[in-house]
Amino acid sequence: MSDDVPVTAAPERPGEGEGTSDPAGRAADRPWTALWVSALALPPLALLAAASWFGRWVRPGADDWCFLPAVRDDGITGLVGKFYFDDNGRVANALLVGAYAKFQVAGHQWFPLISGVLVLAVLWAVAVLALGRAGLRTPRGLPLLLAALTTALFLFVTPNTYKTYLWPAASVSHTLPPVLACAALIPLLLARSRRGRALALAVAALMGAFLATLSEETAIVVVTVLLAALLLSGRVVPARERGFVRRWCAAGIAGTAAGAVVLITSPGSTRRRDRFGAETTSLLAPDSLTASLRAFAEITVTVATTWQYAGAVAAGVLLGLLCRRADGAPPRPPAHWPLLTAAGALALLVAGYLCTVIAYPVFRDRVSDPSANRLWNDYLLLYVILLVGAGALLGLGLRRLTLRTAPAKAVCAALCVLVCVGPAVSLANLDTAMRARAEKWDAQDRRLREGAAAGRLVLPYERLVISNMLEPFSQGGRSYWPGGCVADFYGLDRVTDGARNR
């Protein structure tokens, strides 16, 4: 097969092609097919809507206590300076944190809705454009189903949805970055003219630099995937597109490298390394690498045995069963699908392990703790997308083996709904816990504000923990952090342990 012919337009075997009767292909044109496929998107969309509505109960905690007074007193630019010169060098992270902290508590409450819409919109746009560039036609609601289910699995099939989706600080650092990386695909998929290609290259470079100063883990995932794409481009990319795709990958890698230089050389990054001392210098020590491998193995087992991710495979199978070429014929699997599958799995494993390596010196054994799974989100979106791709290959293979695809469609449709049941129960329980904490938080907020207004400089603070979030006086009252930030927020000199004052 010539490199100039896209794999989706490959010649069919004898008996296939335009003259072939394809029940799956004809069914894709029926209004009923578009209707039931669109209906399957409703459960994951309902999860997203409910979780966004529950955002009204979000109240600050942990790092938020330190961000809020900093942005209130010095603005977003002050927080950027603080991150760059003092904390960690993550200037892009400071920009996004400042964007919601600027609105204080209200910013925390609106963040889940805004970020959820962004995740869905990006994945939906990428699905529509990618299918179009592949020359595939699908029932009208299928791209929305793919985007909605991928969003729900990524955000809500997790041991700690609060830190993944509802806590803005963690979402900015580990949930949104991989989604922003996907957003960089949109100009690439839209590029048709010379100006469009130049824009795609510029976006790739700028997004790479932005991500490097937003999340080191996502930057590692991006570089790993782009390197894999460069290595595979000679076999899987048509010759007329190969040069542009290679330049796009190179631009993304170069931008990420430039951002990494800004991050590593920043005074804040230097201070962070000094604060952690030997922990960061032991990053590549044999003991650390071995412990990281063991932790990543535990993470892999946890993720691989989470059955709800089978929903991504089911959605992919529906894509493979229902898609067709522009001429109406069923598409064939890509010629190099074994190579693509192996490369995707290897890229995921390499990126996941490297992310664990850089997180382990700071988080130690907690890096594999399900309660801290926000640290996995940087490569978890890639995992879900690869499962969708694997399911699509299964669907394409299945429709070539049998004309009776209705049972497979029914099973996949049922699975797409079933995987939403568990997250729905978890979200309902989380809503109850968040509501209880919000009521206590609001009452304490009024008490502290009234005390500060009356001239009090020292007031008791009661710990209000949710989803293992850090609060002042943890570790049996021995840890004061972030008590100093709480005091700054209310204009006090110090807060004391409310539990001991009772």
Side-chain angles (χ1 to χ4, degrees), residues 36-46 141 144-145 148:
W36 69 260
V37 168
S38 299
L40 289 178
L42 294 180
L45 288 176
L144 176 59
L145 170 61

Side-chain angles (χ1 to χ4, degrees), residues 223-301:
V223 170
T224 302
V225 172
L226 291 179
L227 286 174
L230 274 177
L231 294 174
L232 295 176
S233 61
R235 291 196 175 189
V236 302
V237 180
R240 65 177 179 274
E241 300 287 343
R242 194 174 300 151
F244 169 58
V245 170
R246 286 175 172 172
R247 290 194 299 275
W248 185 84
C249 292
I253 295 172
T256 307
V261 170
V262 172
L263 176 73
I264 294 172
T265 59
S266 67
S269 180
T270 301
R271 285 175 177 268
R272 186 171 189 268
R273 290 192 295 270
D274 291 340
R275 281 198 306 271
F276 286 103
E279 290 185 355
T280 54
T281 60
S282 64
L283 187 69
L284 300 179
D287 289 347
S288 181
L289 293 176
T290 302
S292 297
L293 182 60
R294 183 169 56 252
F296 181 60
E298 294 173 357
I299 295 170
T300 302
V301 170

Side-chain angles (χ1 to χ4, degrees), residues 77-169:
T77 56
L79 187 66
V80 171
K82 183 175 184 298
F83 272 44
Y84 182 77
F85 291 105
D86 299 322
D87 290 352
N88 48 42
R90 300 172 188 154
V91 292
N93 197 296
L95 282 172
L96 294 187
V97 168
Y100 72 79
K102 183 70 175 176
F103 301 95
Q104 299 292 290
V105 177
H108 292 69
Q109 297 169 342
W110 281 96
F111 182 88
L113 173 62
I114 295 172
S115 65
V117 171
L118 176 63
V119 173
L120 179 64
V122 167
L123 295 181
W124 192 2
V126 170
V128 170
L129 295 174
L131 291 171
R133 287 302 292 258
L136 298 177
R137 297 171 60 185
T138 65
R140 189 173 297 273
L142 190 54
L144 176 59
L145 170 61
L146 296 175
L149 196 57
T150 299
T151 299
L153 294 176
F154 176 50
L155 297 179
F156 309 128
V157 179
T158 162
N160 200 326
T161 294
Y162 189 86
K163 289 185 177 179
T164 293
Y165 179 59
L166 293 161
W167 183 28

Side-chain angles (χ1 to χ4, degrees), residues 406-428:
K409 294 174 187 174
V411 171
C412 291
L415 193 55
C416 288
V417 175
L418 284 175
V419 298
C420 296
V421 175
V425 175
S426 298
L427 279 174

Side-chain angles (χ1 to χ4, degrees), residues 12 74 142-143 189 257 331 469 484:
E12 304 291 340
D74 302 318
L142 190 54
L189 296 170
M469 293 275 287

